Amino acid sequence: MADTKYETPMLDELESGPWPSFIKELKKVAPRKPMVQDLLGQLEQSYEEGQGHWKHGGIVGVMGYGGGVIGRYSDLADKFTNCAHFHTIRVNQPAGWFYTSKALRTICDIWERHGSGLTNMHGSTGDIVLLGTTTSELEPTFAELTANGFDLGGSGSDMRTPSCCVGKARCEWACYDTMALTYDLTQSFQDALHRPAFPYKFKIKSAGCPNDCVASIARADLSIIGTWRDDIRVDQEGVKAYEKAGLNIERDVCGRCPARCMEYSGKLMIDNRACVHCMHCINAMPKALRPGVDTGATILIGSKAPIVQGALLSSVLVPFMKIEPPYQELKDLIEKMWEWRDENGKSRERIGELIQRMGMRNFLPAVGLEPNPDMVFHPRANPYVFYDEYFVAEEEGEAQA
Amino acid sequence: MADTKYETPMLDELESGPWPSFIKELKKVAPRKPMVQDLLGQLEQSYEEGQGHWKHGGIVGVMGYGGGVIGRYSDLADKFTNCAHFHTIRVNQPAGWFYTSKALRTICDIWERHGSGLTNMHGSTGDIVLLGTTTSELEPTFAELTANGFDLGGSGSDMRTPSCCVGKARCEWACYDTMALTYDLTQSFQDALHRPAFPYKFKIKSAGCPNDCVASIARADLSIIGTWRDDIRVDQEGVKAYEKAGLNIERDVCGRCPARCMEYSGKLMIDNRACVHCMHCINAMPKALRPGVDTGATILIGSKAPIVQGALLSSVLVPFMKIEPPYQELKDLIEKMWEWRDENGKSRERIGELIQRMGMRNFLPAVGLEPNPDMVFHPRANPYVFYDEYFVAEEEGEAQA
Amino acid sequence: MTTQPAKRITDIGPPHYDQMLHPVIKENYGKWKYHETLKPGVLCHVSETGQKIYSVRAGSPRLLSIDTIRWYADLADKYCKGYLRFTSRNNVEFLLDDPKLIDPLIAELNQNGFPVGGTNNAISNIVHTQGWVHCHSSATDASGIVKSVMDELHPYFISEKLPAKCRVALACCLNMCGAVHCSDIAILGIHRRPPKPKHDILGKTCEIPTVVASCPTGAIRPATVDGKQSVEIVEAQCMYCANCYTVCPSLPMNDPLNDGISIWVGGKVSNARSAPAFSKLAIPFIPNNPPRWPEVVEAVKNIVEVWAKHARKFERIGEWIDRIGWKRFFELTGIEFTKHHIDDFKHAGLTYHTSAHLRF
Amino acid sequence: MTTQPAKRITDIGPPHYDQMLHPVIKENYGKWKYHETLKPGVLCHVSETGQKIYSVRAGSPRLLSIDTIRWYADLADKYCKGYLRFTSRNNVEFLLDDPKLIDPLIAELNQNGFPVGGTNNAISNIVHTQGWVHCHSSATDASGIVKSVMDELHPYFISEKLPAKCRVALACCLNMCGAVHCSDIAILGIHRRPPKPKHDILGKTCEIPTVVASCPTGAIRPATVDGKQSVEIVEAQCMYCANCYTVCPSLPMNDPLNDGISIWVGGKVSNARSAPAFSKLAIPFIPNNPPRWPEVVEAVKNIVEVWAKHARKFERIGEWIDRIGWKRFFELTGIEFTKHHIDDFKHAGLTYHTSAHLRF
Ligand code: SRM
Ligand code: SRM
Ligand code: SRM
Ligand code: SRM
Ligand code: SF4
Ligand code: SF4
Ligand code: SF4
Ligand code: SF4
Ligand code: SF4
Ligand code: SF4
Ligand code: SF4
Ligand code: SF4
């Protein structure tokens, strides 16, 4: 404790136990980082009182960018002067969160020079989060980051840093190249990312298959989920091997298939037209089953956390789209939806909420898509159908004229 | 056609074909009923033009009653003078729609004397509907009906005629006596039935088991659906007989059990704690399976057609209630919900809509029920929880004082 | 109203059902053990006591003349000791204790054009409403369509060959007195044109605030037209529910050019297997085409037949669609999926498909 | 802000991932054939080419000092030719082409207190948020609770014995940056007291119409207090969402006496078997009890253990509850069902149980 300025008996209790301790992390840098010493002090006070001690927001940033920095000020600035400013910088991660040791060290060195030495690897949206610095260090940090090939992520009403699952880099189930797409979209939409001009944030997440290892269907305004439309590839010998190894294929694979489209009796039969592409059978027998080869993605729209009108999951917009460079169809779609939202969206209204408010009826034509039964769980149950026009009897026409 | 006043070429086309013809019914009485002759004429005109020719409502009735008669006037009264008035009288059916030939003839004779001779056996709510008479005939009809033991049904903002499935009279699955209950409720709430004093209508339907042969869950503000809470009675020999007769018990019975709580391999095993009382297995093997013997009913609340805020199905209020004379618990519950609706309901707001608007949070305490997980498909998914009160720190209290 | 009679009887309620029960039913009330179907339309309920009651169910147009009811009474006397009942779907059931009388009764019914059937996996009677015969609200007729459809579905009434029950219902307007909202197949009359206010009398005949409040979409605004207090309809906001008309006669909805029929599928009421469910929109609009509405008949028949062909045992229409998905339903029936199928009312967002469970 | 450097580089985006890929990954990119788990936390992916890449996954506090990151880099150099990655749940994955190095790497990780695991039917890292470490909004801390819970769940991280995956997440306020709304178990910080307007400065710091509009329940009204333009909160209408605070700093929500934790269960994200689903309320409120939140730890552990005991193979928490019903869930876990569990927000009515499918 000698290295820290304040007694932190409550926090110290969080150093023990088998899970790695964030307090230990703080204490690793605290000796050389007065900002972190004060952070420990303030945090201890929060623990004692049961409440946080950060002031509301505060707009700070780097020149020419509208996002990427979250301003943060202590409301106990008099007491904890060294963490009076404690801004975070969001830095775009490499797609798939792959790093060389060199790249990591570069970031560490920059942050050693300009910040608290604390990070989140990674933020919930996917950015590298550099946690805690002062306003005056923002621009120098930015300069060093860009000089080393890194750029800022998003914040505010902009496109947020797209993120993706490991995809084709290390997963046999990736139905399209999530990392290539994510990189391309991030580069193509640099302006939308750095200069908030939307009514509200817009997140894109890309998962290579319906397992959705990046939670795109729950956490992205645009969710791109890989899938296939031909047959599941089956290695019957492989299936038997799983049976031999003790898997109850009938009960635990066929019996849990949501489409109930599989049968097993020594041979696995799949009715691929009925399959809903849930991945379960493939997950259960990865050595024997694989997605088909006519692959692409389902495009879904609108998920978000509950504020304000309730949480949403993304819903199907395009049941199947080929995802291949230069991704023109997808990019056109994205731009059309942004345009539509710019015209119609209210401030702090996510695109999912806007669609809820204005209806697919308005949204679909704007993005040039035809209605499709896959877009809904089921057709409407209420009889309140709008028609754009009605017939007028001839007499009436005359009468009116 | 000689017997009718008007040519009805379009209607005549509806006399052919294997299904009994309502036009034939009209024509049976038309010769002696000028009202029906004109009705045929007006109906033919409706068929030609594609629209109805009845005017909006009109309040008519019998002395001291606020409901039971639907006023109806032709908007072509000049042309079809004999059906210028064409009111219907709703008459309470005997529970379960059981009749003696004598009772039916009594009704026919009354209607021969006072009305069109047309009826609906029965109306959608369950009443005997006497279709078409004039204002001056209402009171005489009523006098004859009551003299013969019949009384009017409901209309307007009152309790509507309760109805029920055939129940214990002819069904082995009835978990309580639907007809006895319906008779008792109808008698007990005569005033509520005859003198509309509610914000809007209130319907009660009683089904003896979850098959719900009276559509109570869709068509009644209060749906009383029989069920049991002990074990399904199984005759294993009977089950085997079904198998022998060709029923695929594993696939078509066990495989369709929504609780997936059955297994068959020569012997039928039911996990009765998991059973959701859907009736399927019993329906499929009526000679082998029967509901348990600890029977009662689930009380559900709130179904209605879509006008205004969308259709509702009834939802669980009391998962299990014993239904035995004098039905005090149930009657108390009904009276409490009526009171609550009288206090809070808007005009033309069904109780289901009122609960939707004010929430179970307000409704449950008013009717003296504790929250129960059976009342919901699932607990809330949004974090917008109201609390009735909050703690105030001592300092604050002082500061405020 | 005429003057009150001297001794006025009121509030007596319906006759006690006890008086109406066949002796075998009375004796075995609550003692039934099981039932079997002897043939379509003929049920045999067996009591713990060993006694049996036979029910013969005959189709009915529901709109019955007293002549026919008297004939029912005669049949009841002849075959049933004078006892009969009606069902919740408006069929008539003759209750016999003598099985030998079943066939003669059926013969007499058939002779007179009353088919016997409707039990088990049949298509029973169509629950329906008033239509042009009696209601001011109707966007279509009721009895005429029912007659036309049942003429076509008759083979399914007199047999039990379908995969499961199929309940058809009809309502002539959105009030849905036929409670079509939970039917396997629902035929629903709809308007497609906003009400045409009778500005000259509206202010006198209706309470304007009530009228304004009646509209679920807020499409009605108070307005002064030609110096008279009336309302104006924001037509783009109107979805033709007619609730305003129900509270105000000066807002008529009837419009032959725009009124017609919509078809809904997949609802159910029973708790058997799957939970009760609403019907969903299949065909948004078919013009009224009296006297036999051939397009409606064809549409219903098509759905029944496609379902009958593809469904598994015990699968009602909604359960079948649940398994195969709506996409296939539209493919197999050849019905077009349009923007009208996508909900845009209050809870519309909850119908959006929030998963990647898709069939290709 | 400091002045702009001479040659300002902007809009370059992230580094291309190509530079970051292990040679075996680069060569076999898109060619992976299958994978197997060698032991908890150790995956082996096999390529069509026959080449293999081994991944060793280590748990992480996510809040990492650069010292630890540098140590990761050292490990990567020592065992992985310098290549590593992080996962979508903030674990670190070391990528090896030499299986002999796996155990030494694990030993070194363990020695330093970094457990290896989190794969397959394990409880992986808790996705979480800033809490008192960095956010102004938090109703509770994030890292401290995560540490406390993971200390307890650690046995489930280093083994794969659960019936299925169990994803735990934490968010320190209703903004839900941890996206806890679709987790098997979600730990959510909540307020329970309406905001306390700072009437003296509110009018100056915030746009009153924006503040009024921000409230989803319409609980905020413009008001003049002590002669100053401010707002008043209709407290009975407030459900403490803090959206008003997000748009207006003069409406603070923090309140130690009333802030705390709620627990949610049964959500999922994957499409495997069942569709993605929201988490549902299990425990409405547990007071904050730093530094170790024992009641929260206990609650989470209890749910995990009851589920682990009763679920069938491949059944995630929500799928298990779907099968047994919520009633049993509350019975088995001993959690009390209260009025707070019954939804009363926008689509509340759709959560009412509209069937007679009941368990007794
Ligand atoms: C840093 C991060 C949490 C973390 O610890 O990882 C974060 C932190 C904040 N989020 Fe978030 N959000 C973060 C990911 C998310 C996510 C998850 C995701 O992106 O997958 C969500 C849920 C998904 C979604 O977008 O709906 C999320 C939903 C919100 C919301 C609610 C938005 C909504 O539409 O419901 C707010 C409120 C707002 O925007 O005003 C919010 C607002 C905030 C603010 C800016 C606080 C505020 O009220 O203005 C937080 C700043 C904290 C701080 O001091 O650093 N944050 N936020 C995440 C961003 C790091 C990164 O860039 O990688
Ligand atoms: C006669 C009958 C239809 C039939 O042919 O059988 C009928 C006929 C009318 N119903 Fe109905 N309803 C009839 C059963 C129903 C049912 C079915 C049921 O009770 O099981 C429903 C759906 C269930 C429900 O209650 O929600 C039903 C839902 C409505 C509604 C919509 C109510 C709602 O809350 O959504 C209205 C509109 C209204 O009340 O203003 C309505 C209004 C009407 C009116 C009074 C027209 C009106 O706008 O005022 C109709 C008079 C027709 C006439 O000229 O005779 N009728 N009505 C049924 C009553 C006969 C009887 O007493 O047995
Ligand atoms: C007579 C009647 C009750 C009454 O009081 O009038 C009745 C009587 C019986 N019903 Fe029903 N149901 C009757 C209307 C209904 C209704 C209500 C409706 O159609 O509006 C339903 C709910 C329909 C729905 O779900 O939409 C209904 C759903 C059932 C079911 C569940 C079927 C299913 O698989 O979903 C059964 C069980 C079965 O048939 O296997 C059933 C079974 C029966 C049994 C076998 C019960 C018994 O043991 O006696 C009776 C003979 C049935 C038959 O027709 O095959 N009854 N039954 C009604 C005859 C109407 C008619 O004329 O066709
Ligand atoms: C590394 C990672 C992707 C990444 O780009 O970082 C990943 C990698 C894999 N996932 Fe995942 N998943 C990863 C996050 C997720 C997420 C997202 C999340 O948790 O926020 C999900 C959705 C979770 C949900 O549904 O709530 C996810 C749902 C799955 C599933 C479906 C599981 C299920 O039954 O619902 C599988 C299939 C399986 O495990 O059988 C899967 C399978 C896999 C496989 C086996 C795919 C493969 O063939 O390589 C990978 C190793 C899995 C393992 O951990 O056992 N992965 N996986 C993520 C590891 C997170 C961690 O550190 O623990
Ligand atoms: S989402 Fe699919 S492709 Fe991507 S890592 Fe997960 S399992 Fe692999
Ligand atoms: S992917 Fe899912 S739906 Fe398709 S066959 Fe396999 S388990 Fe069934
Ligand atoms: S609801 Fe049940 S008890 Fe009543 S008739 Fe139908 S099957 Fe028999
Ligand atoms: S009644 Fe329904 S839920 Fe119960 S065992 Fe039979 S089929 Fe299963
Ligand atoms: S459904 Fe409409 S038109 Fe038909 S009877 Fe009922 S209120 Fe009248
Ligand atoms: S028909 Fe319905 S939506 Fe149209 S104006 Fe009348 S009440 Fe409003
Ligand atoms: S969940 Fe709330 S308190 Fe936590 S980081 Fe996000 S905005 Fe801040
Ligand atoms: S906390 Fe939410 S509900 Fe309460 S006043 Fe603020 S915005 Fe409204």
Side-chain angles (χ1 to χ4, degrees), chain A residues 256-291:
Chain A
R256 293 210 170 268
C257 165
R260 302 264 156 192
C261 67
M262 317 179 79
E263 270 176 40
Y264 184 70
S265 45
K267 200 178 164 197
L268 189 70
M269 304 297 294
I270 304 181
D271 175 358
N272 280 281
R273 282 264 297 168
C275 162
V276 296
H277 305 84
C278 84
M279 288 297 295
H280 173 63
C281 56
I282 301 174
N283 292 343
M285 303 187 284
K287 285 186 176 176
L289 267 53
R290 306 171 73 181

Side-chain angles (χ1 to χ4, degrees), chain B residues 54-65:
Chain B
W54 299 109
K55 282 207 275 194
H56 193 287
I59 296 169
V60 287
V62 302
M63 286 249 331
Y65 277 36

